Amino acid sequence: MADFIVNGRSVLCGEVDIHGAKNSALPILAATLLCNSKCTLYNCPELSDVDAALKILKYLGCKIHRQCDAVEIDPSNAFGKEIPDFLMREMRSSIVFLGAILAKCSNALLSYPGGCELGPRPIDIHLNSFKKMGVEVDERFGSINCQCCNGLCGATINLPFPSVGATENILLAAVTAKGTTKIHNAAREPEIIDLAAFLNSCGGKIQGAGDSVITVEGVAHLHGCEHSIIPDRIEAATYMAAAAATGGKILLKNVIPDHIEPVFYAFREAGCDMEIGENTIKLTAPKRLSRIKLIRTLVYPGFPTDAQAPIMTMCTVARGTSIFIETIFQNRYKHANELLRFGANIKVEGRVAVVEGTERLYATEAKATDLRGGAALVIAAMCAEGVSRITDIYHIDRGYQSMEKVLTKLGVDIKREV
Ligand code: UD1
């Protein structure tokens, strides 16, 4: 397994081109299954989670051709209905293939994606929504067997929580279902809008994506299309946090500033200066950051839970005390324990974390516990005095394309040790 070795006290400076969004690419890759001809995706990030999704598509019978960030998927002979356990385990969000397989084949056999580093990750909202659309669900011994002998039927679905994955799964199931589906309390994340845009380019009839009520009029067929994945708002927020924590200056290119808006207040409160362009964000950090009074993670357009960990590292070196309330996931503070190794001062009590800023962090060995938590540790290592080792960086590779190359270009002394 690979580690990152980071020589600290770097000041991050320079420009970075933000890659395509992992969380858009994954459901859109699943959606290509529904088309009757070839699809080409551009700006598709090179990540291990994307590789895992491509492996699933291949297993189901798709032909794949990848050249850098362009991926061609030919699903015309993909009629696989089953995803084996070893592929389901490679990526937690593989559950989003369920809606697509059901829509294409009317039955599906998947193993349960299992618990996760962020706490239990139930899929009850997904399965209950499918039941409303006429699916019989049989959950036994860790596998999920779904059947809808008469095909999927449109339905009115009221989500108890605006789950991103469940909203995506319903869109995939509903786009070629018989009749109309209405999703109330739908997730409003930009990735939902991107998935709907892709499906509509393939001939789907989806209205309202980005609002809390989405209407899907089922169509008979979808054809292939060309689509460019939106930029990754969380990758952008992470590099902004890295620049802020190290007292640096960064110009992010290829971003949609509106998508990143929910984190702006945190950087402004910390004393960063920001210039927002059409597709760019320029952030200049002060010499020492100020505390951020309160960060409460919420569904979009609230503060994203995926940005919580990187921004927590910023607060460990800020002047004053910052408070975090994590409302989305039950167990999303594992990185806090690892940050303590750098000399950070953090107390966690259930869903609340209190971070008392310190002037200096010190190099250490720390273990990436999950994707965003791993990125938070790399930022801590960049701030720390001395040489740090971050282990288990396979978590980071799931969602950050060539992080060490991006950071080296920004002046950080970091290398991958295999
Ligand atoms: C997606 C993102 C992830 C992000 C999260 C919240 C992808 C690939 N991942 O994950 O990066 O952190 O949104 O913005 O897009 N829940 C249930 N039952 C369900 C489904 C969800 O109880 O059937 C709960 C979850 O346990 C969690 C909360 O709802 O506490 C949010 O989950 P959800 O919005 O579904 O997140 P994901 O789609 O898994």
mmCIF file of all heavy atoms in Angstrom, residues 49-98:
data_model
loop_
_atom_site.group_PDB
_atom_site.id
_atom_site.type_symbol
_atom_site.label_atom_id
_atom_site.label_comp_id
_atom_site.label_asym_id
_atom_site.label_seq_id
_atom_site.Cartn_x
_atom_site.Cartn_y
_atom_site.Cartn_z
ATOM 1 N N ASP A 49 -12.468 5.078 -7.716
ATOM 2 C CA ASP A 49 -13.917 4.837 -7.682
ATOM 3 C C ASP A 49 -14.501 4.787 -9.103
ATOM 4 O O ASP A 49 -15.420 4.011 -9.379
ATOM 5 C CB ASP A 49 -14.645 5.935 -6.885
ATOM 6 C CG ASP A 49 -14.858 5.514 -5.430
ATOM 7 O OD1 ASP A 49 -14.285 4.481 -5.011
ATOM 8 O OD2 ASP A 49 -15.597 6.221 -4.707
ATOM 9 N N VAL A 50 -13.972 5.622 -9.988
ATOM 10 C CA VAL A 50 -14.437 5.602 -11.383
ATOM 11 C C VAL A 50 -14.002 4.280 -12.035
ATOM 12 O O VAL A 50 -14.773 3.639 -12.755
ATOM 13 C CB VAL A 50 -13.907 6.834 -12.154
ATOM 14 C CG1 VAL A 50 -14.111 6.688 -13.656
ATOM 15 C CG2 VAL A 50 -14.600 8.096 -11.650
ATOM 16 N N ASP A 51 -12.763 3.835 -11.733
ATOM 17 C CA ASP A 51 -12.302 2.536 -12.257
ATOM 18 C C ASP A 51 -13.230 1.426 -11.783
ATOM 19 O O ASP A 51 -13.564 0.516 -12.544
ATOM 20 C CB ASP A 51 -10.873 2.221 -11.775
ATOM 21 C CG ASP A 51 -9.851 3.156 -12.396
ATOM 22 O OD1 ASP A 51 -10.179 3.785 -13.416
ATOM 23 O OD2 ASP A 51 -8.736 3.262 -11.844
ATOM 24 N N ALA A 52 -13.664 1.512 -10.514
ATOM 25 C CA ALA A 52 -14.544 0.472 -9.965
ATOM 26 C C ALA A 52 -15.884 0.472 -10.718
ATOM 27 O O ALA A 52 -16.427 -0.588 -11.051
ATOM 28 C CB ALA A 52 -14.760 0.704 -8.472
ATOM 29 N N ALA A 53 -16.405 1.668 -11.016
ATOM 30 C CA ALA A 53 -17.676 1.760 -11.764
ATOM 31 C C ALA A 53 -17.497 1.196 -13.175
ATOM 32 O O ALA A 53 -18.384 0.502 -13.695
ATOM 33 C CB ALA A 53 -18.145 3.208 -11.814
ATOM 34 N N LEU A 54 -16.327 1.470 -13.793
ATOM 35 C CA LEU A 54 -16.082 0.953 -15.147
ATOM 36 C C LEU A 54 -15.984 -0.573 -15.129
ATOM 37 O O LEU A 54 -16.453 -1.255 -16.054
ATOM 38 C CB LEU A 54 -14.806 1.581 -15.732
ATOM 39 C CG LEU A 54 -14.900 3.086 -16.027
ATOM 40 C CD1 LEU A 54 -13.558 3.639 -16.491
ATOM 41 C CD2 LEU A 54 -15.967 3.383 -17.084
ATOM 42 N N LYS A 55 -15.396 -1.121 -14.044
ATOM 43 C CA LYS A 55 -15.304 -2.590 -13.929
ATOM 44 C C LYS A 55 -16.704 -3.192 -13.856
ATOM 45 O O LYS A 55 -16.979 -4.233 -14.437
ATOM 46 C CB LYS A 55 -14.543 -2.969 -12.650
ATOM 47 C CG LYS A 55 -13.047 -3.003 -12.817
ATOM 48 C CD LYS A 55 -12.416 -3.646 -11.583
ATOM 49 C CE LYS A 55 -11.088 -3.007 -11.280
ATOM 50 N NZ LYS A 55 -10.601 -3.276 -9.927
ATOM 51 N N ILE A 56 -17.600 -2.521 -13.117
ATOM 52 C CA ILE A 56 -18.977 -3.028 -13.007
ATOM 53 C C ILE A 56 -19.640 -2.999 -14.389
ATOM 54 O O ILE A 56 -20.262 -3.970 -14.825
ATOM 55 C CB ILE A 56 -19.791 -2.209 -11.970
ATOM 56 C CG1 ILE A 56 -19.231 -2.457 -10.565
ATOM 57 C CG2 ILE A 56 -21.282 -2.562 -12.036
ATOM 58 C CD1 ILE A 56 -19.902 -1.661 -9.449
ATOM 59 N N LEU A 57 -19.464 -1.876 -15.104
ATOM 60 C CA LEU A 57 -20.070 -1.775 -16.445
ATOM 61 C C LEU A 57 -19.550 -2.881 -17.364
ATOM 62 O O LEU A 57 -20.307 -3.494 -18.114
ATOM 63 C CB LEU A 57 -19.777 -0.394 -17.049
ATOM 64 C CG LEU A 57 -20.574 0.779 -16.458
ATOM 65 C CD1 LEU A 57 -20.078 2.103 -17.027
ATOM 66 C CD2 LEU A 57 -22.081 0.632 -16.738
ATOM 67 N N LYS A 58 -18.234 -3.144 -17.288
ATOM 68 C CA LYS A 58 -17.643 -4.205 -18.129
ATOM 69 C C LYS A 58 -18.240 -5.547 -17.746
ATOM 70 O O LYS A 58 -18.602 -6.343 -18.615
ATOM 71 C CB LYS A 58 -16.119 -4.263 -17.889
ATOM 72 C CG LYS A 58 -15.336 -3.566 -18.948
ATOM 73 C CD LYS A 58 -13.847 -3.874 -18.790
ATOM 74 C CE LYS A 58 -13.061 -2.818 -19.522
ATOM 75 N NZ LYS A 58 -11.698 -2.682 -19.071
ATOM 76 N N TYR A 59 -18.357 -5.789 -16.445
ATOM 77 C CA TYR A 59 -18.900 -7.067 -15.969
ATOM 78 C C TYR A 59 -20.333 -7.260 -16.486
ATOM 79 O O TYR A 59 -20.740 -8.371 -16.815
ATOM 80 C CB TYR A 59 -18.875 -7.089 -14.433
ATOM 81 C CG TYR A 59 -19.283 -8.424 -13.856
ATOM 82 C CD1 TYR A 59 -18.336 -9.426 -13.617
ATOM 83 C CD2 TYR A 59 -20.617 -8.701 -13.578
ATOM 84 C CE1 TYR A 59 -18.710 -10.662 -13.121
ATOM 85 C CE2 TYR A 59 -21.000 -9.933 -13.076
ATOM 86 C CZ TYR A 59 -20.040 -10.905 -12.849
ATOM 87 O OH TYR A 59 -20.417 -12.123 -12.352
ATOM 88 N N LEU A 60 -21.063 -6.151 -16.580
ATOM 89 C CA LEU A 60 -22.459 -6.239 -17.037
ATOM 90 C C LEU A 60 -22.555 -6.358 -18.565
ATOM 91 O O LEU A 60 -23.642 -6.538 -19.105
ATOM 92 C CB LEU A 60 -23.254 -5.010 -16.559
ATOM 93 C CG LEU A 60 -23.388 -4.882 -15.030
ATOM 94 C CD1 LEU A 60 -24.015 -3.548 -14.655
ATOM 95 C CD2 LEU A 60 -24.222 -6.031 -14.453
ATOM 96 N N GLY A 61 -21.408 -6.208 -19.248
ATOM 97 C CA GLY A 61 -21.392 -6.442 -20.702
ATOM 98 C C GLY A 61 -21.086 -5.218 -21.553
ATOM 99 O O GLY A 61 -21.156 -5.295 -22.780
ATOM 100 N N CYS A 62 -20.752 -4.079 -20.936
ATOM 101 C CA CYS A 62 -20.449 -2.866 -21.719
ATOM 102 C C CYS A 62 -19.049 -2.954 -22.325
ATOM 103 O O CYS A 62 -18.152 -3.557 -21.742
ATOM 104 C CB CYS A 62 -20.480 -1.619 -20.835
ATOM 105 S SG CYS A 62 -22.096 -1.232 -20.219
ATOM 106 N N LYS A 63 -18.884 -2.303 -23.465
ATOM 107 C CA LYS A 63 -17.536 -2.134 -24.036
ATOM 108 C C LYS A 63 -17.065 -0.741 -23.632
ATOM 109 O O LYS A 63 -17.812 0.236 -23.793
ATOM 110 C CB LYS A 63 -17.590 -2.232 -25.557
ATOM 111 C CG LYS A 63 -17.768 -3.645 -26.028
ATOM 112 C CD LYS A 63 -17.263 -3.758 -27.477
ATOM 113 C CE LYS A 63 -17.503 -5.161 -27.973
ATOM 114 N NZ LYS A 63 -18.690 -5.235 -28.858
ATOM 115 N N ILE A 64 -15.849 -0.670 -23.117
ATOM 116 C CA ILE A 64 -15.344 0.612 -22.602
ATOM 117 C C ILE A 64 -14.051 0.983 -23.317
ATOM 118 O O ILE A 64 -13.174 0.138 -23.491
ATOM 119 C CB ILE A 64 -15.004 0.497 -21.084
ATOM 120 C CG1 ILE A 64 -16.097 -0.213 -20.303
ATOM 121 C CG2 ILE A 64 -14.574 1.832 -20.496
ATOM 122 C CD1 ILE A 64 -17.185 0.629 -19.778
ATOM 123 N N HIS A 65 -13.953 2.243 -23.668
ATOM 124 C CA HIS A 65 -12.679 2.727 -24.210
ATOM 125 C C HIS A 65 -12.378 4.047 -23.509
ATOM 126 O O HIS A 65 -13.189 4.964 -23.530
ATOM 127 C CB HIS A 65 -12.795 2.925 -25.724
ATOM 128 C CG HIS A 65 -11.545 3.470 -26.310
ATOM 129 N ND1 HIS A 65 -10.391 2.718 -26.426
ATOM 130 C CD2 HIS A 65 -11.239 4.702 -26.767
ATOM 131 C CE1 HIS A 65 -9.443 3.466 -26.952
ATOM 132 N NE2 HIS A 65 -9.926 4.679 -27.171
ATOM 133 N N ARG A 66 -11.207 4.109 -22.887
ATOM 134 C CA ARG A 66 -10.883 5.329 -22.130
ATOM 135 C C ARG A 66 -9.629 5.972 -22.679
ATOM 136 O O ARG A 66 -8.631 5.303 -22.911
ATOM 137 C CB ARG A 66 -10.693 4.946 -20.658
ATOM 138 C CG ARG A 66 -10.091 6.053 -19.849
ATOM 139 C CD ARG A 66 -10.393 5.993 -18.383
ATOM 140 N NE ARG A 66 -10.527 7.384 -17.984
ATOM 141 C CZ ARG A 66 -11.024 7.828 -16.877
ATOM 142 N NH1 ARG A 66 -11.491 6.997 -16.003
ATOM 143 N NH2 ARG A 66 -11.094 9.097 -16.604
ATOM 144 N N GLN A 67 -9.666 7.263 -22.898
ATOM 145 C CA GLN A 67 -8.460 8.001 -23.262
ATOM 146 C C GLN A 67 -8.434 9.266 -22.417
ATOM 147 O O GLN A 67 -9.240 10.187 -22.633
ATOM 148 C CB GLN A 67 -8.478 8.339 -24.745
ATOM 149 C CG GLN A 67 -7.109 8.686 -25.242
ATOM 150 C CD GLN A 67 -7.066 8.686 -26.765
ATOM 151 O OE1 GLN A 67 -8.077 8.875 -27.425
ATOM 152 N NE2 GLN A 67 -5.883 8.499 -27.309
ATOM 153 N N CYS A 68 -7.549 9.259 -21.432
ATOM 154 C CA CYS A 68 -7.448 10.350 -20.447
ATOM 155 C C CYS A 68 -8.820 10.618 -19.827
ATOM 156 O O CYS A 68 -9.410 9.702 -19.281
ATOM 157 C CB CYS A 68 -6.841 11.606 -21.053
ATOM 158 S SG CYS A 68 -5.256 11.278 -21.812
ATOM 159 N N ASP A 69 -9.336 11.859 -19.995
ATOM 160 C CA ASP A 69 -10.598 12.148 -19.298
ATOM 161 C C ASP A 69 -11.826 11.858 -20.171
ATOM 162 O O ASP A 69 -12.945 12.177 -19.793
ATOM 163 C CB ASP A 69 -10.610 13.603 -18.797
ATOM 164 C CG ASP A 69 -10.797 14.604 -19.926
ATOM 165 O OD1 ASP A 69 -10.608 14.229 -21.104
ATOM 166 O OD2 ASP A 69 -11.147 15.762 -19.643
ATOM 167 N N ALA A 70 -11.626 11.256 -21.344
ATOM 168 C CA ALA A 70 -12.772 10.905 -22.205
ATOM 169 C C ALA A 70 -13.021 9.399 -22.122
ATOM 170 O O ALA A 70 -12.112 8.600 -22.302
ATOM 171 C CB ALA A 70 -12.485 11.318 -23.639
ATOM 172 N N VAL A 71 -14.259 9.035 -21.825
ATOM 173 C CA VAL A 71 -14.603 7.610 -21.706
ATOM 174 C C VAL A 71 -15.771 7.315 -22.640
ATOM 175 O O VAL A 71 -16.789 8.009 -22.611
ATOM 176 C CB VAL A 71 -15.021 7.244 -20.257
ATOM 177 C CG1 VAL A 71 -15.233 5.738 -20.134
ATOM 178 C CG2 VAL A 71 -13.992 7.706 -19.260
ATOM 179 N N GLU A 72 -15.577 6.278 -23.460
ATOM 180 C CA GLU A 72 -16.647 5.833 -24.365
ATOM 181 C C GLU A 72 -17.239 4.561 -23.798
ATOM 182 O O GLU A 72 -16.502 3.634 -23.455
ATOM 183 C CB GLU A 72 -16.017 5.489 -25.714
ATOM 184 C CG GLU A 72 -16.334 6.455 -26.807
ATOM 185 C CD GLU A 72 -15.645 6.010 -28.087
ATOM 186 O OE1 GLU A 72 -15.583 4.793 -28.358
ATOM 187 O OE2 GLU A 72 -15.160 6.906 -28.771
ATOM 188 N N ILE A 73 -18.545 4.525 -23.695
ATOM 189 C CA ILE A 73 -19.206 3.334 -23.151
ATOM 190 C C ILE A 73 -20.223 2.865 -24.180
ATOM 191 O O ILE A 73 -21.107 3.622 -24.566
ATOM 192 C CB ILE A 73 -19.924 3.649 -21.816
ATOM 193 C CG1 ILE A 73 -18.904 4.153 -20.798
ATOM 194 C CG2 ILE A 73 -20.648 2.422 -21.250
ATOM 195 C CD1 ILE A 73 -19.151 5.512 -20.334
ATOM 196 N N ASP A 74 -20.077 1.612 -24.596
ATOM 197 C CA ASP A 74 -21.076 1.046 -25.509
ATOM 198 C C ASP A 74 -21.885 0.000 -24.736
ATOM 199 O O ASP A 74 -21.411 -1.100 -24.475
ATOM 200 C CB ASP A 74 -20.381 0.411 -26.723
ATOM 201 C CG ASP A 74 -21.415 -0.130 -27.703
ATOM 202 O OD1 ASP A 74 -22.622 -0.114 -27.368
ATOM 203 O OD2 ASP A 74 -21.014 -0.571 -28.791
ATOM 204 N N PRO A 75 -23.126 0.370 -24.355
ATOM 205 C CA PRO A 75 -23.919 -0.531 -23.522
ATOM 206 C C PRO A 75 -24.859 -1.419 -24.337
ATOM 207 O O PRO A 75 -25.696 -2.107 -23.758
ATOM 208 C CB PRO A 75 -24.726 0.459 -22.672
ATOM 209 C CG PRO A 75 -24.933 1.624 -23.597
ATOM 210 C CD PRO A 75 -23.816 1.641 -24.593
ATOM 211 N N SER A 76 -24.698 -1.416 -25.695
ATOM 212 C CA SER A 76 -25.749 -2.076 -26.495
ATOM 213 C C SER A 76 -25.888 -3.574 -26.222
ATOM 214 O O SER A 76 -26.955 -4.126 -26.439
ATOM 215 C CB SER A 76 -25.588 -1.777 -27.990
ATOM 216 O OG SER A 76 -24.269 -1.538 -28.326
ATOM 217 N N ASN A 77 -24.799 -4.220 -25.722
ATOM 218 C CA ASN A 77 -24.942 -5.652 -25.431
ATOM 219 C C ASN A 77 -24.823 -5.945 -23.945
ATOM 220 O O ASN A 77 -24.428 -7.042 -23.551
ATOM 221 C CB ASN A 77 -23.881 -6.452 -26.200
ATOM 222 C CG ASN A 77 -24.216 -6.468 -27.667
ATOM 223 O OD1 ASN A 77 -25.366 -6.727 -28.030
ATOM 224 N ND2 ASN A 77 -23.252 -6.122 -28.504
ATOM 225 N N ALA A 78 -25.143 -4.968 -23.130
ATOM 226 C CA ALA A 78 -24.983 -5.152 -21.673
ATOM 227 C C ALA A 78 -26.319 -5.549 -21.057
ATOM 228 O O ALA A 78 -27.157 -4.693 -20.811
ATOM 229 C CB ALA A 78 -24.461 -3.866 -21.058
ATOM 230 N N PHE A 79 -26.469 -6.840 -20.816
ATOM 231 C CA PHE A 79 -27.719 -7.294 -20.213
ATOM 232 C C PHE A 79 -27.492 -8.028 -18.905
ATOM 233 O O PHE A 79 -28.350 -8.775 -18.446
ATOM 234 C CB PHE A 79 -28.516 -8.156 -21.222
ATOM 235 C CG PHE A 79 -28.987 -7.332 -22.398
ATOM 236 C CD1 PHE A 79 -28.290 -7.345 -23.596
ATOM 237 C CD2 PHE A 79 -30.085 -6.489 -22.273
ATOM 238 C CE1 PHE A 79 -28.690 -6.551 -24.666
ATOM 239 C CE2 PHE A 79 -30.493 -5.691 -23.341
ATOM 240 C CZ PHE A 79 -29.803 -5.725 -24.526
ATOM 241 N N GLY A 80 -26.302 -7.837 -18.304
ATOM 242 C CA GLY A 80 -26.006 -8.461 -17.005
ATOM 243 C C GLY A 80 -26.975 -7.923 -15.956
ATOM 244 O O GLY A 80 -27.355 -6.752 -15.991
ATOM 245 N N LYS A 81 -27.372 -8.823 -15.035
ATOM 246 C CA LYS A 81 -28.352 -8.419 -14.015
ATOM 247 C C LYS A 81 -27.772 -8.528 -12.616
ATOM 248 O O LYS A 81 -28.456 -8.272 -11.634
ATOM 249 C CB LYS A 81 -29.560 -9.362 -14.079
ATOM 250 C CG LYS A 81 -30.245 -9.384 -15.400
ATOM 251 C CD LYS A 81 -31.234 -10.502 -15.452
ATOM 252 C CE LYS A 81 -31.821 -10.558 -16.858
ATOM 253 N NZ LYS A 81 -32.624 -11.719 -17.091
ATOM 254 N N GLU A 82 -26.526 -8.990 -12.549
ATOM 255 C CA GLU A 82 -25.985 -9.343 -11.251
ATOM 256 C C GLU A 82 -24.649 -8.649 -11.049
ATOM 257 O O GLU A 82 -23.837 -8.596 -11.960
ATOM 258 C CB GLU A 82 -25.751 -10.861 -11.303
ATOM 259 C CG GLU A 82 -25.811 -11.524 -9.980
ATOM 260 C CD GLU A 82 -25.577 -13.028 -10.139
ATOM 261 O OE1 GLU A 82 -26.222 -13.646 -11.012
ATOM 262 O OE2 GLU A 82 -24.745 -13.536 -9.387
ATOM 263 N N ILE A 83 -24.435 -8.075 -9.869
ATOM 264 C CA ILE A 83 -23.106 -7.533 -9.556
ATOM 265 C C ILE A 83 -22.548 -8.354 -8.399
ATOM 266 O O ILE A 83 -23.147 -8.395 -7.317
ATOM 267 C CB ILE A 83 -23.153 -6.040 -9.166
ATOM 268 C CG1 ILE A 83 -23.857 -5.229 -10.260
ATOM 269 C CG2 ILE A 83 -21.750 -5.505 -8.925
ATOM 270 C CD1 ILE A 83 -23.947 -3.736 -9.970
ATOM 271 N N PRO A 84 -21.430 -9.039 -8.614
ATOM 272 C CA PRO A 84 -20.897 -9.894 -7.545
ATOM 273 C C PRO A 84 -20.347 -9.080 -6.381
ATOM 274 O O PRO A 84 -20.014 -7.896 -6.534
ATOM 275 C CB PRO A 84 -19.786 -10.684 -8.237
ATOM 276 C CG PRO A 84 -19.401 -9.880 -9.419
ATOM 277 C CD PRO A 84 -20.593 -9.067 -9.817
ATOM 278 N N ASP A 85 -20.233 -9.768 -5.254
ATOM 279 C CA ASP A 85 -19.820 -9.133 -4.010
ATOM 280 C C ASP A 85 -18.482 -8.385 -4.133
ATOM 281 O O ASP A 85 -18.355 -7.253 -3.666
ATOM 282 C CB ASP A 85 -19.722 -10.239 -2.946
ATOM 283 C CG ASP A 85 -19.572 -9.661 -1.570
ATOM 284 O OD1 ASP A 85 -20.397 -8.802 -1.219
ATOM 285 O OD2 ASP A 85 -18.613 -10.031 -0.873
ATOM 286 N N PHE A 86 -17.495 -8.996 -4.823
ATOM 287 C CA PHE A 86 -16.168 -8.361 -4.855
ATOM 288 C C PHE A 86 -16.219 -7.014 -5.572
ATOM 289 O O PHE A 86 -15.476 -6.096 -5.233
ATOM 290 C CB PHE A 86 -15.098 -9.304 -5.463
ATOM 291 C CG PHE A 86 -15.183 -9.481 -6.959
ATOM 292 C CD1 PHE A 86 -14.407 -8.697 -7.810
ATOM 293 C CD2 PHE A 86 -16.022 -10.429 -7.526
ATOM 294 C CE1 PHE A 86 -14.469 -8.853 -9.189
ATOM 295 C CE2 PHE A 86 -16.096 -10.599 -8.900
ATOM 296 C CZ PHE A 86 -15.325 -9.815 -9.737
ATOM 297 N N LEU A 87 -17.139 -6.851 -6.535
ATOM 298 C CA LEU A 87 -17.252 -5.555 -7.224
ATOM 299 C C LEU A 87 -18.082 -4.573 -6.399
ATOM 300 O O LEU A 87 -17.785 -3.372 -6.360
ATOM 301 C CB LEU A 87 -17.888 -5.742 -8.602
ATOM 302 C CG LEU A 87 -16.985 -6.382 -9.661
ATOM 303 C CD1 LEU A 87 -17.747 -6.587 -10.961
ATOM 304 C CD2 LEU A 87 -15.740 -5.528 -9.912
ATOM 305 N N MET A 88 -19.107 -5.083 -5.721
ATOM 306 C CA MET A 88 -19.937 -4.199 -4.876
ATOM 307 C C MET A 88 -19.097 -3.589 -3.759
ATOM 308 O O MET A 88 -19.281 -2.444 -3.375
ATOM 309 C CB MET A 88 -21.090 -4.992 -4.248
ATOM 310 C CG MET A 88 -22.216 -5.301 -5.186
ATOM 311 S SD MET A 88 -23.024 -3.835 -5.878
ATOM 312 C CE MET A 88 -23.963 -3.201 -4.513
ATOM 313 N N ARG A 89 -18.150 -4.384 -3.237
ATOM 314 C CA ARG A 89 -17.351 -3.910 -2.106
ATOM 315 C C ARG A 89 -16.305 -2.886 -2.506
ATOM 316 O O ARG A 89 -15.821 -2.135 -1.678
ATOM 317 C CB ARG A 89 -16.630 -5.091 -1.442
ATOM 318 C CG ARG A 89 -17.515 -5.836 -0.499
ATOM 319 C CD ARG A 89 -16.799 -7.014 0.089
ATOM 320 N NE ARG A 89 -17.749 -7.888 0.745
ATOM 321 C CZ ARG A 89 -18.203 -7.675 1.969
ATOM 322 N NH1 ARG A 89 -17.774 -6.648 2.669
ATOM 323 N NH2 ARG A 89 -19.080 -8.497 2.495
ATOM 324 N N GLU A 90 -15.918 -2.874 -3.796
ATOM 325 C CA GLU A 90 -14.857 -1.949 -4.227
ATOM 326 C C GLU A 90 -15.287 -0.505 -4.084
ATOM 327 O O GLU A 90 -14.467 0.389 -3.966
ATOM 328 C CB GLU A 90 -14.493 -2.220 -5.685
ATOM 329 C CG GLU A 90 -13.316 -3.154 -5.797
ATOM 330 C CD GLU A 90 -12.684 -3.118 -7.172
ATOM 331 O OE1 GLU A 90 -12.511 -2.038 -7.743
ATOM 332 O OE2 GLU A 90 -12.364 -4.213 -7.653
ATOM 333 N N MET A 91 -16.605 -0.274 -4.146
ATOM 334 C CA MET A 91 -17.090 1.106 -4.103
ATOM 335 C C MET A 91 -18.423 1.140 -3.367
ATOM 336 O O MET A 91 -19.357 0.454 -3.749
ATOM 337 C CB MET A 91 -17.262 1.595 -5.536
ATOM 338 C CG MET A 91 -17.742 2.995 -5.632
ATOM 339 S SD MET A 91 -17.982 3.490 -7.318
ATOM 340 C CE MET A 91 -19.180 2.335 -7.900
ATOM 341 N N ARG A 92 -18.484 1.952 -2.320
ATOM 342 C CA ARG A 92 -19.697 1.987 -1.493
ATOM 343 C C ARG A 92 -20.923 2.446 -2.273
ATOM 344 O O ARG A 92 -22.032 2.042 -1.997
ATOM 345 C CB ARG A 92 -19.506 2.952 -0.312
ATOM 346 C CG ARG A 92 -18.264 2.710 0.473
ATOM 347 C CD ARG A 92 -18.480 1.676 1.543
ATOM 348 N NE ARG A 92 -17.217 1.416 2.215
ATOM 349 C CZ ARG A 92 -16.943 0.300 2.864
ATOM 350 N NH1 ARG A 92 -17.833 -0.670 2.934
ATOM 351 N NH2 ARG A 92 -15.793 0.136 3.447
ATOM 352 N N SER A 93 -20.697 3.320 -3.268
ATOM 353 C CA SER A 93 -21.868 3.879 -3.946
ATOM 354 C C SER A 93 -22.323 3.020 -5.120
ATOM 355 O O SER A 93 -23.099 3.478 -5.957
ATOM 356 C CB SER A 93 -21.595 5.308 -4.382
ATOM 357 O OG SER A 93 -20.371 5.367 -5.035
ATOM 358 N N SER A 94 -21.840 1.760 -5.175
ATOM 359 C CA SER A 94 -22.250 0.867 -6.269
ATOM 360 C C SER A 94 -23.758 0.613 -6.262
ATOM 361 O O SER A 94 -24.313 0.173 -7.258
ATOM 362 C CB SER A 94 -21.497 -0.457 -6.171
ATOM 363 O OG SER A 94 -21.452 -0.879 -4.835
ATOM 364 N N ILE A 95 -24.418 0.958 -5.167
ATOM 365 C CA ILE A 95 -25.870 0.752 -5.074
ATOM 366 C C ILE A 95 -26.625 1.529 -6.159
ATOM 367 O O ILE A 95 -27.736 1.164 -6.532
ATOM 368 C CB ILE A 95 -26.374 1.127 -3.643
ATOM 369 C CG1 ILE A 95 -27.809 0.659 -3.426
ATOM 370 C CG2 ILE A 95 -26.246 2.607 -3.350
ATOM 371 C CD1 ILE A 95 -27.984 -0.813 -3.413
ATOM 372 N N VAL A 96 -26.008 2.565 -6.700
ATOM 373 C CA VAL A 96 -26.678 3.380 -7.713
ATOM 374 C C VAL A 96 -26.874 2.605 -9.033
ATOM 375 O O VAL A 96 -27.654 3.006 -9.890
ATOM 376 C CB VAL A 96 -25.932 4.728 -7.895
ATOM 377 C CG1 VAL A 96 -24.747 4.605 -8.812
ATOM 378 C CG2 VAL A 96 -26.867 5.812 -8.370
ATOM 379 N N PHE A 97 -26.185 1.445 -9.146
ATOM 380 C CA PHE A 97 -26.400 0.595 -10.324
ATOM 381 C C PHE A 97 -27.729 -0.146 -10.249
ATOM 382 O O PHE A 97 -28.224 -0.639 -11.247
ATOM 383 C CB PHE A 97 -25.250 -0.421 -10.477
ATOM 384 C CG PHE A 97 -24.053 0.178 -11.160
ATOM 385 C CD1 PHE A 97 -23.076 0.832 -10.421
ATOM 386 C CD2 PHE A 97 -23.907 0.116 -12.535
ATOM 387 C CE1 PHE A 97 -21.988 1.414 -11.052
ATOM 388 C CE2 PHE A 97 -22.828 0.696 -13.171
ATOM 389 C CZ PHE A 97 -21.866 1.347 -12.432
ATOM 390 N N LEU A 98 -28.306 -0.228 -9.031
ATOM 391 C CA LEU A 98 -29.532 -1.009 -8.872
ATOM 392 C C LEU A 98 -30.669 -0.447 -9.736
ATOM 393 O O LEU A 98 -31.330 -1.195 -10.467
ATOM 394 C CB LEU A 98 -29.926 -1.064 -7.386
ATOM 395 C CG LEU A 98 -31.147 -1.900 -7.023
ATOM 396 C CD1 LEU A 98 -31.052 -3.317 -7.555
ATOM 397 C CD2 LEU A 98 -31.330 -1.941 -5.499
#
